[in-house]
């Protein structure tokens, strides 16, 4: 039997918040469990309001901060026990982040194409400039860009939407099995959000990559996700197939969210623009 791609077992995260002398602790994530199968790539959304623990969860999945309770396993390997350079490098290749602010993903003083070449050399074994350029171009084509469009340009010379696409391309270069996208479109112009969000579904199908899509926006998550979990104050209050959860929400918070989705859907139907 193959191990799941990702498995969270009763995961918790407690921060020793409140400054040096304070004993106050912040329980950001409480007893979260879910599994992403290795065989079937999916878009898995984690939805919740600000402060519900989404980014804390994302960081643990990315191996940036360990769980204080429970375990995070990637392909059966407990991330708290990941040892050695080779194992860490392999994990980095397979699990790639996409952040909210694409300007933070790039060095402002480095040309975007050069940054992609460096990723190709460091994480995808590209040997020599032609191989690095080919890897960068391949990844850029997957997100609807091309190397010719980006060559020689600095991050500030691209639009936010272009730069976020380039950040997604950078994440694709190592050939990951899982993308962890934490609010990837909340800083993108509203008119471009749906095209970027839909890109995740296309990547799932074309590249067989799973996507952990983190958002506060249930309406968008619903349209692109296979499964969703809804978090409130660090806990999962609802989980399952996106359509099933929305058809029968049980927690008051999800019912409230559902109403917000229905109003968006109503607007879509009126405009005839539902994706
Ligand atoms: N490094 C930290 N030290 C102390 N407390 C933290 C730390 N990071 C997050 N927290 C706290 O943990 C809780 C969850 O934060 P988190 O950033 O995970 O929420 P979020 O769902 O991502 O919110 P947002 O939608 O605003 O990004 C919050 O109460 C936050 O203040
Ligand atoms: Mg966050």
């Amino acid at each position: 039997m193959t191990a799941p791609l990702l498995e969270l077992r009763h995961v918790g995260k407690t921060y020793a918040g409140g400054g040096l002398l304070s004993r106050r602790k912040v329980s950001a994530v409480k007893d979260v469990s879910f599994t992403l199968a290795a065989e079937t790539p999916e878009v898995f959304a984690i939805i919740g309001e600000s402060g519900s623990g989404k980014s804390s969860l994302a960081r643990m999945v990315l191996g940036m901060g360990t769980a204080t309770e429970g375990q995070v396993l990637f392909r059966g390997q407990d991330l708290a026990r990941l040892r050695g350079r080779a194992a860490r490098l392999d994990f980095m290749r397979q699990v790639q982040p996409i952040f909210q602010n694409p300007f933070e993903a790039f060095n402002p003083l480095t040309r975007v194409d050069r940054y992609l070449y460096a990723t190709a050399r460091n994480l995808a074994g590209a040997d020599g400039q032609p191989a690095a350029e080919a890897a960068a171009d391949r990844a850029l084509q997957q997100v609807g860009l091309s190397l010719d469009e980006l060559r020689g340009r600095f991050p500030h010379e691209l639009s936010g939407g272009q730069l976020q696409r380039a950040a997604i391309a950078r994440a694709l270069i190592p050939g990951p099995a899982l993308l962890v996208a934490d609010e990837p479109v909340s800083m993108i112009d509203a008119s471009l959000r749906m095209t970027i969000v839909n890109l995740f579904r296309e990547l799932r199908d074309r590249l067989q990559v799973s996507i952990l899509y983190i958002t506060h926006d249930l309406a968008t998550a619903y349209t692109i996700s296979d499964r969703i979990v809804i978090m409130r104050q660090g806990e999962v209050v609802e989980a399952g197939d996106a359509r099933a959860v929305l058809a029968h929400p049980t927690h008051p918070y999800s019912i409230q969210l559902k109403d917000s989705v229905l109003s968006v859907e109503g607007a879509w139907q009126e405009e005839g623009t539902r994706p």
Side-chain angles (χ1 to χ4, degrees), residues 83-153:
R83 298 278 182 273
R85 193 177 130 79
R88 283 174 202 277
L89 210 58
D90 182 54
F91 174 72
M92 272 177 72
R93 286 192 185 104
Q94 294 203 62
V95 183
Q96 278 285 316
I98 295 160
F99 296 109
Q100 184 171 13
N101 183 353
F103 288 92
E104 279 171 19
F106 291 94
N107 181 336
L109 303 177
T110 303
R111 293 181 175 90
V112 172
D113 56 335
R114 294 202 182 166
Y115 201 83
L116 299 182
Y117 307 151
T119 302
R121 281 192 298 268
N122 298 337
L123 291 182
D127 193 6
Q129 184 63 9
E133 290 192 17
D137 195 35
R138 255 196 320 275
L140 287 165
Q141 303 276 351
Q142 292 289 349
V143 301
L145 290 172
S146 73
L147 189 52
D148 286 337
E149 284 172 76
L150 296 192
R151 219 182 273 278
R153 293 168 79 180

Side-chain angles (χ1 to χ4, degrees), residues 49-56 58-59 100 182-183 214:
E49 62 192 4
S50 183
S52 57
K54 306 182 297 294
S55 295
S56 299
R59 282 197 297 271
Q100 184 171 13
D182 190 352
E183 307 259 16
I214 292 161

Side-chain angles (χ1 to χ4, degrees), residues 4-7 34-46 177-181 197 199-214 221 224-229 239-243:
L5 184 69
L6 179 70
E7 187 179 0
F34 61 80
T35 301
L36 270 63
E39 300 81 13
T40 41
E42 61 180 317
V43 179
F44 189 94
I46 296 175
L178 177 66
L179 296 178
V180 180
V197 157
L199 181 62
F200 288 123
R201 276 182 86 88
E202 293 166 31
L203 294 173
R204 176 202 64 186
D205 294 339
R206 268 191 265 131
L207 303 176
Q208 300 290 295
V209 61
S210 282
I211 289 131
L212 201 60
Y213 175 67
I214 292 161
I224 67 151
S225 306
D226 301 297
R227 283 190 297 155
I228 61 178
V229 302
D241 175 87
R243 269 124 212 94

Side-chain angles (χ1 to χ4, degrees), residues 60-66 71-95:
M60 289 188 277
V61 171
L62 286 163
M64 301 159 66
T66 47
Q71 294 169 299
V72 182
L73 299 111
F74 182 75
R75 296 199 192 279
Q77 162 80 59
D78 186 342
L79 294 188
R81 295 163 189 273
L82 208 59
R83 298 278 182 273
R85 193 177 130 79
R88 283 174 202 277
L89 210 58
D90 182 54
F91 174 72
M92 272 177 72
R93 286 192 185 104
Q94 294 203 62
V95 183

